[in-house]
Amino acid sequence: MRDRGTLEEAEAFLAAHPEVEAFEIYLIDLAGIGRGKLLRREELLPLYRHGRPLPSSILALTVNGEDVDETGLVWDVADMDCLARPVAGSLTLLPWRRVPTGALQLTLDPVAGLPAALADPRHALIRVIDTLAARDLNPVMAVELEFYLLDREDDPFGRPQPARLGDGRRPREPQVYGVRELALLEPFLADLYAACRLQGLPARTAISEYAPGQVEITLEHGPALLALDQGVRYKRLVKGLAETYGMQACFMAKPFGHLAGSGMHLHVSLADAEGNNRFAAEDPHGTPLLRAGIGGLLESLPESLLFFCPHANSYRRFQAHSYAPLAPTWGVNNRTVSLRIPGGPPESRHLEHRLCGADANPYLAAACVLAGLLRGIEAQSDPGAPVVGNGYAMGGAPVPSWQEALATARTSPWLERVFGADFMGVWLAIKEAEQRRFLAEVGEQDWRWYRDTV
C-alpha cells in the first residue's frame, strides 16, 4: 500500500492530543457509507502496527446495511476477517463530538484484505488513476457537493422540512445566491470552516443554492485520489456537524419533488509529469485531448450511469429547467448540459461533470469519469458539436431509468475491463438486491394513489 499510514504519524497525533479518548475507524463501502468501529485510545498504535481485521461482509451491504449473499462475501467465505490498513493523512479530530474523539480512514490491504479488497471502491479509483498515469495523464480533480439542511423534526404530515435559519424562521423560497441566507447560517458555517481547517480540507466558496435550505461549499482541486478522499471526509464532516445544530445534512439526490435536486459535480483536468495542464488552451473549447475525452464520456455515459446515479431516488433529479442535465450533451460555459467546460483563464481549462447526484459514491463516480476520459482519448473520439443555448430545448436521448441503467451495466464489457469481473459481480449483486427490495416495498404513495381509487 503506497499511501499506508505510518506509526510515527499515529504517535505524533497521540502526543499532540492527549485529551482524545476514542477513535472512529471507518472505510467507505460501495454505497459511499462509512462503516467501521469505535476504538479506545490504547488500540490506535496496534492498528498502525498490525492493521485491523474487518468482516468480509462489510463490503457486501446494501444502502440500508443488509447483507447480500449473492456477492460471495458473506456465507460463501464464512464472513472471514479481511485486513484493513490506515490511510496516510486521514487521522484527524472530530471537534463536534462530546467525548474527545478522533477519526481514521481505513482501506483494505490489497493482499491481506482479500477477498473483500476486490470490492474496495477506493482501490477501484486507484487502479484507474494508475492506468492514466502510465500514459503521462495525471488527473487533477475537485468535488463539489450540494446538500440540504433539514430540521431533525418532520412536518405535521411526516415529511422532511428545511431547518430554521438564524432568525428562527424556516425558509420557504429558493433565494438562490442569497447572501442573507448565508449570513443567517453564520454560526454553522463558521464552525464548518473551522472544522475543515482542522481536518485539512480545502473548503472554499459557500453558496445558497436553488432551493430553501440548500447549500454548496466548493473544495479546492488537487491530485485525484487526495481530492476524492477530501470529498468523502467533507461529506462526513458536514453530516456530523449538522447534528450538533439540531439539523440533518441531507445528500439525497431529490429530497423534495417540487424543489431542485442535489448534485455532485466533479471537476477534472489532466496534467503531465511536470504538472502542466494538458487541457489548457486559449480556445474556450479546450484542447483536442479534452474534446476527445468528452467524446469518450458521452459514449460511456449509458454504461456509467449506475455509478453516477446509483439509487431509485437518483433518477427523480432529472427534470427540465432544474439545473440537472437530461441528455448526453456538452457545452462551453453552459449549465444546461451534462459535460461543461467552464469559463476562466486558459491555464485553468478543465471539465465539469454535472451528471452525478450527491448520493453517488465519490470514488466510483470519479473512477467512471476518468475511465471515460481515457476511453475517448485512446479512441480519439469526436464529441460532436457543443450545445449552444438552452440544452433542455435540444431534445436527445433522455436519461434512462434505474432499471435500464442496471441492465446496461450488467452487460457492459467496458465496465468489466475498467473495474474487473470480481468487483462488478459484487457491485451488481448489491444493486440487484436493492432494486428487488425497493420495488417490493409498499409505501405512502401506493396508499395515496390506489387505496380509495381502484
Side-chain angles (χ1 to χ4, degrees):
M1 280 180 57
R2 65 187 183 197
D3 61 344
R4 176 175 165 182
T6 64
L7 185 62
E8 291 75 19
E9 176 185 2
E11 290 173 335
F13 185 92
L14 290 174
H17 301 287
E19 77 285 1
V20 172
E21 299 178 19
F23 289 90
E24 188 176 281
I25 63 169
Y26 65 94
L27 58 73
I28 300 299
D29 76 356
L30 288 162
I33 297 170
R35 300 194 188 274
K37 301 181 178 184
L38 187 66
L39 304 187
R40 305 312 297 169
R41 180 184 178 91
E42 59 271 18
E43 296 179 277
L44 183 69
L45 294 183
L47 185 158
Y48 271 83
R49 291 190 182 100
H50 311 298
R52 184 78 183 196
L54 295 173
S56 57
S57 59
I58 200 167
L59 284 177
L61 301 173
T62 68
V63 69
N64 291 319
E66 304 159 302
D67 283 340
V68 179
D69 296 351
E70 294 85 352
T71 60
L73 294 178
V74 190
W75 310 125
D76 291 358
V77 294
D79 200 11
M80 65 184 290
D81 278 338
C82 300
L83 197 68
R85 303 279 191 185
V87 174
S90 68
L91 183 58
T92 188
L93 294 171
L94 301 180
W96 57 87
R97 297 288 283 269
R98 185 168 59 86
V99 174
T101 302
L104 175 65
Q105 184 175 354
L106 305 182
T107 190
L108 288 166
D109 186 289
V111 177
L114 294 172
L118 294 169
D120 189 323
R122 193 171 183 273
H123 288 328
L125 174 60
I126 290 172
R127 289 193 291 271
V128 176
I129 291 173
D130 287 347
T131 301
L132 284 159
R135 293 158 172 78
D136 195 25
L137 301 169
N138 301 288
V140 176
M141 298 190 74
V143 179
E144 197 175 277
L145 276 164
E146 299 167 338
F147 60 92
Y148 276 86
L149 287 173
L150 303 179
D151 202 306
R152 294 300 304 180
E153 299 294 328
D154 292 341
D155 72 11
F157 302 98
R159 298 174 302 202
Q161 57 185 341
R164 296 183 186 276
L165 298 178
D167 60 0
R169 292 185 289 183
R170 202 179 305 283
R172 299 296 182 188
E173 304 299 331
Q175 296 299 349
V176 64
Y177 305 125
V179 292
R180 179 176 180 273
E181 282 64 32
L182 295 176
L184 292 173
L185 286 171
E186 184 178 40
F188 170 75
L189 292 177
D191 283 349
L192 178 58
Y193 278 112
C196 285
R197 286 193 297 273
L198 186 66
Q199 294 196 356
L201 302 178
R204 297 294 184 261
T205 306
I207 303 168
S208 177
E209 276 290 345
Y210 198 59
Q214 191 182 37
V215 180
E216 175 189 277
I217 294 179
T218 61
L219 298 178
E220 188 61 72
H221 65 276
L225 182 59
L226 175 62
L228 271 298
D229 283 341
Q230 290 171 340
V232 164
R233 294 169 201 160
Y234 166 77
K235 186 173 180 179
R236 297 186 73 250
L237 186 158
V238 173
K239 282 177 170 285
L241 185 62
E243 290 175 359
T244 69
Y245 277 81
M247 300 185 293
Q248 178 187 24
C250 176
F251 290 85
M252 280 179 65
K254 189 74 170 177
F256 301 100
H258 64 295
L259 297 175
S262 292
M264 177 175 67
H265 300 164
L266 295 173
H267 295 253
V268 58
S269 60
L270 298 175
D272 62 20
E274 286 72 44
N276 300 305
N277 181 6
R278 299 189 64 174
F279 290 166
E282 292 286 348
D283 184 348
H285 296 81
T287 60
L289 188 78
L290 172 53
R291 292 193 294 275
I294 290 172
L297 283 167
L298 294 174
E299 292 167 4
S300 61
L301 195 153
E303 295 160 276
S304 305
L305 191 61
L306 192 66
F307 291 93
F308 300 150
C309 306
H311 307 297
N313 179 261
S314 307
Y315 296 81
R316 300 188 188 279
R317 176 169 158 261
F318 298 111
Q319 298 178 11
H321 307 106
S322 66
Y323 290 99
L326 295 184
T329 52
W330 76 284
V332 176
N333 200 11
N334 188 330
R335 286 187 170 86
T336 68
V337 297
S338 297
L339 307 173
R340 170 182 177 250
I341 301 178
E347 62 272 16
S348 73
R349 196 76 66 223
H350 69 280
L351 180 71
E352 180 187 19
H353 186 282
R354 298 176 56 82
L355 199 71
C356 299
D359 57 342
N361 182 319
Y363 292 128
L364 298 181
C368 271
V369 169
L370 295 178
L373 281 171
L374 181 60
R375 173 174 170 168
I377 289 168
E378 291 185 330
Q380 296 186 349
S381 298
D382 181 0
V387 169
V388 177
N390 183 5
Y392 294 116
M394 303 299 291
V399 175
S401 69
W402 190 30
Q403 292 89 335
E404 290 169 331
L406 175 56
T408 301
R410 190 187 296 117
T411 58
S412 169
W414 176 72
L415 285 177
E416 191 166 304
R417 289 194 300 272
V418 171
F419 290 102
D422 292 316
F423 176 94
M424 287 303 296
V426 174
W427 168 254
L428 292 171
I430 291 172
K431 301 318 295 181
E432 287 165 352
E434 288 179 346
Q435 284 198 9
R436 285 194 305 271
R437 295 171 192 180
F438 184 88
L439 295 173
E441 185 171 321
V442 177
E444 186 269 341
Q445 184 174 359
D446 294 75
W447 300 324
R448 182 163 44 83
W449 278 44
Y450 305 120
R451 185 173 64 180
D452 297 328
T453 58
V454 297

